[in-house]
Amino acid sequence: MLRRISPCDVQLGMYVHAIEGRWAEQPHWPRERVLDDEGEVALLRKSVLTAVVIDTDKGRTVPFNGRRAPAQAGIVAGLQVGKTVNDPAMKGLLQTVGRSRREVMKIVEDVRLGRPISVARLGPMLLDLSEQVERNAAAFLGILRLKARDEYTYLHSVAVSALMMNFARVLDRPAEEVSALGMAGLLHDVGKIAMPPAILNKPGKLTDEEFAVMRRHSQDGARILKAGTGVPDEAFDVCLHHHERMDGKGYPFGLSGDRLSLAARMGAICDVYDALTSHRAYKDAWSPQKALAEMQSWTGHFDPVLLNAFLRSLGIFPRGSLVRLRDSLLGVVIVDNAEQPTRPTVRCFHSIPMGAPIAPEDVRLAHDNVLTLEDPADWRIVDWPAVRDRMLAGC
């Protein structure tokens, strides 16, 4: 008999028939199997999978006090299960998400009632988010990706805040700037509170007139923040400019290149990434690998150097990425791995001294752990798109 149980209820001797969930770092189970290793049990219990399906005819049954897994994924469902989670780390992650969600709901209510935003009141929540990101960024960001369609309004800003702080740490920004960028992520979409719900939640493509209304949310948000107290400059900047593009084709002002601050360029990347990897009223979530691969293909949209750093901050390597493996091998990712992001299929060629051209000699496939994402410019690769396309040919 097959039964769906919460990951926190798995025990030695259970027969795992299947695992369910969208978290990119979920364990990889090449076949159905009996749980006979304490390490695997611990890994499942700490994961943010939606459910584990066990076969009670082939292994140990669910304990008498076991909890059925929620029928649908989502943060709210996870919080209900999390009330009885014994693992302190996972319980802390879920509690932080719950507190953050409630604070964002208060922000929305305050703005709707005409009350100014108080950054001081948001300080404890931001500190909580920062600590969770510092402890286990992968797990925390994985949990936030599980938000359901009806949770997007409140949790998108929480996710962007966490992404901004994680990104800032990879860029080695000062602690006070990390905090300011986290606040910027939290408040970047505050102007959407003024948008008509029919436009904000429309399940189809917006008309030109509707899109013109939607474009106002950046400037509406900046006006809301100016009425607040203690709002950092980065928050104003990101709120107003996170829809600008490097090629000047964004809005509201059509700014480009160096006219966009570091904070605004970071905000554009984090905002789009979370939107693409979330379930929305009009679309299903993309995998992190698909989202990042698409973002890399959008010429002129993002700062390419920062986008490369953002990929490093997530430890995700989409198809077409230049990566370095053990033994000083360079290669191009030809097949990503949603279940084990650090172990994609890579077409390798030997690395050679800096300054020399790279030829695809001794080409082979590898499945080793990727050590780092590389910048083609650092290896003096001439015409990287052509080299990448040659590596991908036939794949």
Side-chain angles (χ1 to χ4, degrees):
M1 178 179 177
L2 299 182
R3 298 194 63 177
R4 296 174 72 254
I5 65 172
S6 296
C8 54
D9 283 329
V10 297
Q11 296 186 12
L12 280 174
M14 288 183 171
Y15 188 94
V16 176
H17 176 77
I19 55 176
E20 299 177 1
R22 298 189 303 275
W23 184 30
E25 294 192 18
Q26 61 180 280
H28 177 60
W29 298 92
R31 63 186 185 280
E32 299 174 22
R33 58 177 301 168
V34 173
L35 283 174
D36 57 4
D37 183 277
E38 285 282 7
E40 291 179 343
V41 171
L43 184 63
L44 280 173
R45 287 176 177 172
K46 291 180 180 179
S47 74
V48 289
L49 295 169
T50 306
V52 175
V53 180
I54 63 169
D55 190 335
T56 59
D57 293 330
K58 298 180 180 180
R60 185 175 180 177
T61 188
V62 65
F64 72 92
N65 63 341
R67 297 168 292 278
R68 284 185 176 271
Q72 296 182 342
I75 298 293
V76 172
L79 290 172
Q80 296 303 314
V81 174
K83 290 178 180 179
T84 52
V85 170
N86 293 322
D87 180 76
M90 184 57 62
K91 191 168 187 175
L93 291 174
L94 289 169
Q95 288 174 341
T96 294
V97 172
R99 285 192 292 267
S100 301
R101 181 175 180 275
R102 289 191 294 272
E103 285 297 327
V104 172
M105 292 174 74
K106 290 178 183 176
I107 293 173
V108 171
E109 186 64 18
D110 283 348
V111 172
R112 284 176 176 164
L113 294 175
R115 299 170 184 156
I117 291 174
S118 172
V119 167
R121 196 191 75 188
L122 298 175
M125 180 194 72
L126 191 66
L127 179 60
D128 195 7
L129 284 175
S130 177
E131 289 175 348
Q132 294 293 358
V133 170
E134 189 168 9
R135 286 195 198 105
N136 195 340
F140 191 50
L141 295 173
I143 286 175
L144 287 168
R145 275 209 317 279
L146 294 177
K147 53 187 173 292
R149 284 176 173 83
D150 59 354
E151 298 170 327
Y152 182 82
T153 299
Y154 298 115
L155 288 175
H156 172 61
S157 294
V158 177
V160 173
S161 178
L163 287 166
M164 289 283 277
M165 289 188 284
N166 186 54
F167 194 2
R169 288 196 174 95
V170 168
L171 296 176
D172 200 26
R173 308 308 297 177
E176 62 273 13
E177 188 175 345
V178 173
S179 179
L181 289 168
M183 187 65 73
L186 194 64
L187 300 174
H188 80 287
D189 258 352
V190 69
K192 285 187 176 179
I193 299 170
M195 294 295 103
I199 293 178
L200 191 62
N201 301 314
K202 185 177 178 179
K205 184 178 180 180
L206 298 179
T207 65
D208 291 343
E209 293 77 14
E210 290 169 335
F211 186 61
V213 174
M214 179 62 76
R215 284 165 61 114
R216 295 204 305 260
H217 81 270
S218 297
Q219 291 165 291
D220 288 343
R223 283 193 289 271
I224 290 169
L225 293 184
K226 284 181 180 179
T229 56
V231 179
D233 292 341
E234 289 87 347
F236 288 112
D237 188 10
V238 172
C239 181
L240 193 55
H241 299 129
H242 67 278
H243 284 292
E244 300 285 3
R245 295 173 38 148
M246 292 296 289
D247 59 9
K249 296 180 181 179
Y251 66 87
F253 305 119
L255 302 180
S256 62
D258 292 340
R259 297 182 67 191
L260 296 171
S261 68
L262 173 66
R265 285 177 279 164
M266 290 172 65
I269 292 170
C270 294
D271 175 60
V272 170
Y273 172 77
D274 185 67
L276 292 178
T277 56
S278 299
H279 288 287
R280 307 286 298 278
Y282 52 86
K283 64 173 280 293
D284 289 331
W286 288 0
S287 71
Q289 288 82 0
K290 179 180 179 181
L292 291 167
E294 288 293 319
M295 290 170 70
Q296 285 181 308
S297 73
W298 295 347
T299 303
H301 199 127
F302 306 106
D303 182 322
V305 175
L306 279 182
L307 184 57
N308 205 41
F310 182 69
L311 266 68
R312 290 199 303 273
S313 78
L314 297 179
I316 295 173
F317 310 102
R319 188 173 188 267
S321 300
L322 178 67
V323 295
R324 181 166 63 87
L325 290 81
R326 63 187 80 241
D327 298 327
S328 298
L329 285 175
L330 291 178
V332 176
V333 174
I334 60 171
V335 180
D336 59 44
N337 187 339
E339 294 182 339
Q340 292 182 297
T342 62
R343 296 178 68 86
T345 301
V346 178
R347 176 162 285 170
C348 295
F349 45 84
H350 283 299
S351 64
I352 54 179
M354 297 279 285
I358 293 180
E361 58 189 45
D362 193 24
V363 172
R364 65 181 180 83
L365 298 183
H367 302 273
D368 296 334
N369 280 332
V370 170
L371 298 180
T372 60
L373 184 75
E374 297 292 322
D375 187 339
D378 291 342
W379 294 93
R380 308 290 198 272
I381 300 179
V382 178
D383 195 6
W384 163 244
V387 174
R388 179 192 59 211
D389 292 346
R390 188 166 64 248
M391 292 290 105
L392 294 173
C395 299

